[in-house]
Amino acid sequence: MHNTIIYKNSEQYCSFPSVVKYDSNCLLLAFRVAGLRSVEAAKADQVTHHDPNSSIALIESKDNGKTWSENTYRVVYTPDNGQGVNDPALTVLIDGRLLLRVAVLDVVPSAKRSSMAGKLISHRPEHGLVASLKDNKLLVSSDQGGKWHKLGLKNSKSLDGTCSREPVLEMEDGSLLLSVYKGAPQQLDVAMLLRSFDHGASWGDTVVIASDKNSELGQHHGINFNETAILNLGQGEMLAMVRADQSFISDEGKSIPVGGIGELMVSRSFDAGLSWMPPRPSGIWGQPAHLLLLKNGNILCTYGYRKKPYGVRAVISCDQGHTWSDPIIIRENAPSWDIGYPCSLQLQDKSILTVYYFHEQDGIRYIASTIWNAV
């Protein structure tokens, strides 16, 4: 396995990468960049993923991920004042356009809570900030990521108050699907699927993928189903790997302030995601997952491993996601749980490129990659 630092800056907190291939040798990677507030909070073991000084950046590789040019590093989305961003995700559409989905939050000083209309999802007195989920923004590029503009939305009400980690998924007929979630902390997170039949201009037909029967009681009363990877297996069959947080305590016995930990859950649909089988345990402990259909027909699942030795792992299924291999260790021995969010693609030589965020003892969160072989 070959590890590469894609982007690291001592004054920036970099996280949540998403990578796509848009040409035979060219890759484009989106990631979140936050400022010194997040850097210092992480060093002080007070990690936050809610920062009004945050934006989405792009960086490019022209040699299949062997090297990355900082000259192409550019900010493509900065939210309005009083807002922050999270979890960018890229999609290459059938017509060649690029779609970028970004989760947007309202993040304001605690004393300005009244200026924030949404439900409170975070109050961090140690940072003096409160946050609420706003929506998911969609940006589109017709020139391989050179210029971006917001996608014109006719009806985005279904996106309001939702978060997502996932890219938009384009189906065979050009319709678009997007997995989202909302609920915590006052309720348990519920994983849902939204659908668009007009190229992303409007979203609706909301379907629940997974929810806990105690969903109204708060995030400590059951399973929080949230960041859900969706894979289209064809002819209406779809596979979902659902993050299922059941605890908010780390290996060190400390509270995890942003997200929880637990075993991934599997669900399956046979009607293009209009209904889902009850989620079942996958036997994979991690959060969150990314699914990739390999050239040989097997399914690769990469995921963050947020207990010691903290790192990034993968499993492979040879039977359409019914059973999974033993874990493959891609990276391990990070100093804390605040790592991961892997995204993988298969290169021309059939090797795998997995991108993720990581940190060493210096506490600087950075974007990294590993090129490895799934034999």
Side-chain angles (χ1 to χ4, degrees):
M1 293 190 181
H2 178 70
N3 301 325
T4 298
I5 294 177
I6 295 176
Y7 184 80
K8 182 177 182 179
N9 187 312
S10 62
E11 296 184 350
Q12 294 176 326
Y13 180 111
C14 299
S15 57
F16 311 135
S18 174
V19 65
V20 293
K21 178 186 289 189
Y22 65 84
D23 204 346
S24 59
N25 295 307
C26 296
L27 310 180
L28 193 66
L29 185 147
F31 61 102
R32 174 183 179 264
V33 179
L36 278 173
R37 182 199 298 267
S38 291
V39 173
E40 295 305 322
K43 287 182 177 181
D45 199 23
Q46 298 175 351
V47 174
T48 180
H49 295 164
H50 305 150
D51 193 329
N53 180 21
S54 55
S55 58
I56 303 302
L58 292 179
I59 194 166
E60 186 178 38
S61 171
K62 294 186 177 181
D63 55 8
N64 273 317
K66 294 177 182 177
T67 61
W68 298 81
S69 173
E70 292 189 21
N71 293 329
T72 62
Y73 164 86
R74 58 193 183 278
V75 172
V76 295
Y77 182 72
T78 299
D80 296 335
N81 187 40
Q83 294 180 350
V85 289
N86 263 339
D87 303 307
L90 289 164
T91 302
V92 180
L93 298 173
I94 294 172
D95 63 10
R97 291 180 302 155
L98 287 168
L99 199 60
L100 173 64
R101 184 210 48 74
V102 180
V104 180
L105 307 92
D106 287 321
V107 187
V108 300
S110 304
K112 294 185 177 181
R113 167 64 179 102
S114 61
S115 69
M116 194 173 63
K119 183 189 80 171
L120 200 66
I121 65 161
S122 174
H123 176 201
R124 300 290 297 277
E126 67 272 34
H127 301 151
L129 294 174
V130 291
S132 69
L133 289 175
K134 187 170 178 59
D135 56 17
N136 281 279
K137 299 294 185 188
L138 295 172
L139 287 78
V140 64
S141 172
S142 300
D143 61 356
Q144 298 182 336
K147 296 179 181 178
W148 294 84
H149 65 270
K150 291 182 183 178
L151 192 65
L153 296 178
K154 298 176 184 177
N155 179 12
S156 61
K157 191 172 182 180
S158 296
L159 294 173
D160 292 348
T162 65
C163 195
S164 179
R165 183 250 171 156
E166 291 303 301
V168 171
L169 176 63
E170 187 174 22
M171 303 296 283
E172 294 90 340
D173 61 355
S175 59
L176 303 177
L177 274 61
L178 176 62
S179 75
V180 299
Y181 65 93
K182 63 180 178 179
Q186 296 92 336
Q187 299 172 316
L188 289 162
D189 273 328
V190 175
M192 300 172 290
L193 191 69
L194 306 180
R195 200 174 299 257
S196 174
F197 293 99
D198 54 9
H199 310 291
S202 59
W203 294 84
D205 298 299
T206 304
V207 172
V208 172
I209 300 172
S211 65
D212 190 284
K213 63 182 180 180
N214 293 324
S215 61
E216 300 297 319
L217 298 180
Q219 67 179 8
H220 297 290
H221 287 264
I223 301 175
N224 290 272
F225 294 105
N226 44 62
E227 296 164 324
T228 301
I230 304 291
L231 187 65
N232 181 15
L233 299 176
Q235 299 184 349
E237 186 175 0
M238 304 188 73
L239 180 70
M241 188 68 80
V242 192
R243 179 172 177 172
D245 293 340
Q246 300 182 60
S247 171
F248 295 85
I249 303 298
S250 71
D251 270 11
E252 287 82 13
K254 298 178 182 179
S255 173
I256 300 175
V258 280
I261 52 177
E263 180 181 351
L264 294 167
M265 306 282 272
V266 173
S267 183
R268 197 176 296 267
S269 172
F270 297 96
D271 52 18
L274 291 177
S275 64
W276 292 86
M277 300 292 289
R280 62 175 180 82
S282 68
I284 306 165
W285 198 98
Q287 54 282 149
H290 177 267
L291 293 175
L292 176 67
L293 186 63
L294 299 176
K295 294 176 182 178
N296 63 3
N298 292 340
I299 297 172
L300 173 69
C301 174
T302 44
Y303 56 94
Y305 191 72
R306 291 187 159 188
K307 63 180 177 182
K308 294 179 179 179
Y310 305 113
V312 176
R313 298 188 175 192
V315 290
I316 296 173
S317 175
C318 301
D319 57 8
Q320 299 288 283
H322 292 285
T323 61
W324 299 89
S325 70
D326 291 336
I328 301 165
I329 297 173
I330 297 173
R331 193 76 182 265
E332 64 179 355
N333 293 322
S336 82
W337 57 267
D338 185 35
I339 45 85
Y341 278 72
C343 178
S344 298
L345 57 79
Q346 191 165 23
L347 303 174
Q348 283 184 313
D349 63 0
K350 298 184 181 180
S351 63
I352 306 297
L353 171 77
T354 298
V355 298
Y356 47 89
Y357 81 99
F358 207 74
H359 71 97
E360 316 289 350
Q361 292 296 336
D362 62 8
I364 304 301
R365 273 62 174 175
Y366 62 89
I367 306 300
S369 70
T370 301
I371 296 178
W372 57 286
N373 291 303
V375 178

